Amino acid sequence: MRRTDLEGHGPVRYGPPLPDDGLPVLPELSAVLAAAAARGDSEPVGGGTALLQAASGYWTRRGLPAGPDRVVAAPGAPSLLLALTAALGGDVLVPRPCAAWWAPYARLLGRPVFHVATPAECGGVPDPYALLETVRRVRDEGGDPRLLVLSVADDPTATVAPPEVLHETVEAATGEGLHLVSDETWRDTVHAPHDTVLIGPAEMLPEQVTVVTDLAGALLPPGWPAAVARFPAGEVGTGLHARVLDILTALGARVAAPVAAAAGHALTEPEPVTARVRAAVRLHARVAAAAHTAVVSAGALARPPRAGRHLYVDLGPLRGALGAHGVGDAQDLEEFLSARLGLPAPGGHRFGDDLNALRVRLSTGSLLAGTDRELEECLSSPTPLELPHVHRALITLKSVFDDLRDEAQRWEPPR
């Protein structure tokens, strides 16, 4: 089985961070952090009592009850995934594409990583038949697949996996003895929650799935690192919980006390926090829809964004025009679009996609850049896309893609 090592530009050694929301910190969270700023210590490994109780309540409200003895906190989801990968052992399977931070931690441990194609409907979840075939081939070649990482609300594709697709994949994975880690960082950022059904794998098979949530997805600024994991009940979950705590102890992975105070407050979901989450999701949904219209109108391909703060764009139909600018692969495209847009446009190769595929992830937070006053106005305005700084950013995006469309049309042979 071919793994994910890239050729041409060399292996990808880093990935872009989680998409920022581009908004000022919620004042209520700043006040909680400031009140705890005099504390120079950190939480115990795995999190203190108040933080773990808050995390337990957070999941219970989502239909996933868990006592504090089945929850762990850490300074960001990467340290949790590193600990889980080390504890579970074996080879790792992930969808193609996937979040940029998943695969590097397996490689750091010397674990092979195998990407599995996703179904047409969504990203984040492997196609069940492709998953079974990959597992078979890996085992035939002497491999030992044990862990599947997936996400229902996905970075980078911004899709939400339909329950029926997820169910088939979960059945296939557990039938092969794989442990599932569900990254639910973007669970609370679904753009149309009344029209989109989001069911996680832990709700289908609660005893065989570990859930990881980075609070930077919806509740905290990305610069305040905090994440929580929920372990399944039963002997498997208990043993995994203990091994992960051992590994986090060895790593010294503790949440700073002021950040833990803010994280615990956010996880209890008081009204100011939930109101900000709703306003931010509504704003990013509007910007994402406008960006999607702009890129699709220019001839690029992109699934409609359903969650998160990003858009995954395939510029394959514009390859001729891009080739005239020396763009031949995803790294070239990243450099070209980042310069043209004046915004980060990480290439699909950073998410485990094919280097030769002309794909990028665009972040809606980058299109909101402005002063704190302008950003607060974005949250409260009934027409945020008409605000001057947002309008300018969207016009620039549309202009860059329209220029590529026009160039592509000039390159088309006469009929």
Side-chain angles (χ1 to χ4, degrees), residues 309-321:
R309 302 189 285 258
H310 42 276
L311 180 69
Y312 199 59
V313 185
D314 185 345
L315 285 85
L318 304 175
R319 184 178 289 274

Side-chain angles (χ1 to χ4, degrees), residues 110-392:
R111 302 286 167 72
V113 179
F114 298 94
H115 283 262
V116 186
T118 55
E121 300 96 316
C122 62
V125 175
D127 176 87
Y129 300 103
L131 176 64
L132 291 172
E133 178 63 14
T134 302
V135 169
R136 183 189 67 78
R137 290 183 180 179
V138 170
R139 286 178 176 156
D140 285 350
E141 296 179 11
D144 182 21
R146 295 190 196 176
L147 170 62
L148 170 64
V149 188
L150 48 74
S151 57
V152 181
D154 185 45
D155 170 21
T157 65
T159 58
V160 175
E164 59 274 15
V165 172
L166 177 66
H167 186 265
E168 291 181 3
T169 298
V170 168
E171 281 199 330
T174 55
E176 293 296 328
L178 303 179
H179 187 86
L180 276 67
V181 171
S182 176
D183 175 11
E184 299 190 2
T185 295
W186 302 105
R187 180 185 184 117
D188 296 328
T189 66
V190 174
H191 296 173
H194 297 296
D195 301 324
T196 305
V197 178
L198 190 155
I199 298 177
E203 294 158 77
M204 297 177 178
L205 288 172
E207 296 186 358
Q208 294 172 278
V209 180
T210 299
V211 180
V212 172
T213 297
D214 197 307
L215 303 190
L219 297 176
L220 289 182
W224 299 3
V228 286
R230 175 194 180 273
F231 293 83
E235 185 177 342
V236 171
T238 300
L240 184 58
H241 176 270
R243 291 196 299 277
V244 165
L245 283 177
D246 287 343
I247 295 164
L248 292 176
T249 300
L251 294 172
R254 303 169 183 262
V255 182
V259 173
H265 181 76
L267 283 165
T268 63
E269 298 181 290
E271 175 55 26
V273 171
T274 56
R276 165 57 78 88
V277 171
R278 288 193 300 269
V281 170
R282 186 167 56 246
L283 171 61
H284 284 282
R286 290 174 175 174
V287 176
H292 179 262
T293 298
V295 301
V296 171
S297 297
L301 304 174
R303 294 185 181 103
R306 304 295 186 200
R309 302 189 285 258
H310 42 276
L311 180 69
Y312 199 59
V313 185
D314 185 345
L315 285 85
L318 304 175
R319 184 178 289 274
L322 289 163
H325 294 280
V327 174
D329 59 28
Q331 179 63 53
D332 297 333
L333 181 62
E334 174 183 307
E335 296 167 0
F336 174 79
L337 276 184
S338 296
R340 284 289 183 99
L341 295 171
L343 306 170
H349 60 305
R350 303 203 181 276
F351 307 98
D353 222 334
D354 186 351
L355 179 65
N356 292 318
L358 298 180
R359 297 178 186 136
V360 295
R361 186 191 72 184
L362 303 177
S363 297
T364 52
S366 300
L367 298 170
L368 296 175
T371 65
D372 283 356
R373 184 187 63 79
E374 289 173 330
L375 294 171
E376 290 289 354
E377 190 178 4
C378 285
L379 286 168
S380 58
S381 173
T383 55
L385 303 187
E386 297 177 13
L387 296 174
H389 69 287
V390 180
H391 183 68
R392 285 194 300 270

Side-chain angles (χ1 to χ4, degrees), residues 39-124:
R39 293 181 56 190
D41 59 340
S42 59
E43 294 277 285
V45 171
T49 301
L51 179 55
L52 298 183
Q53 288 177 340
S56 297
Y58 170 87
W59 272 311
T60 297
R61 290 189 294 275
R62 285 153 180 79
L64 293 172
D69 60 334
R70 289 167 53 204
V71 177
V72 163
S79 57
L80 285 173
L81 186 58
L82 175 65
L84 284 163
T85 305
L88 287 162
D91 302 344
V92 180
L93 294 99
V94 296
R96 182 190 297 277
C98 68
W101 55 275
W102 289 359
Y105 294 94
R107 295 198 188 98
L108 184 65
L109 295 167
R111 302 286 167 72
V113 179
F114 298 94
H115 283 262
V116 186
T118 55
E121 300 96 316
C122 62

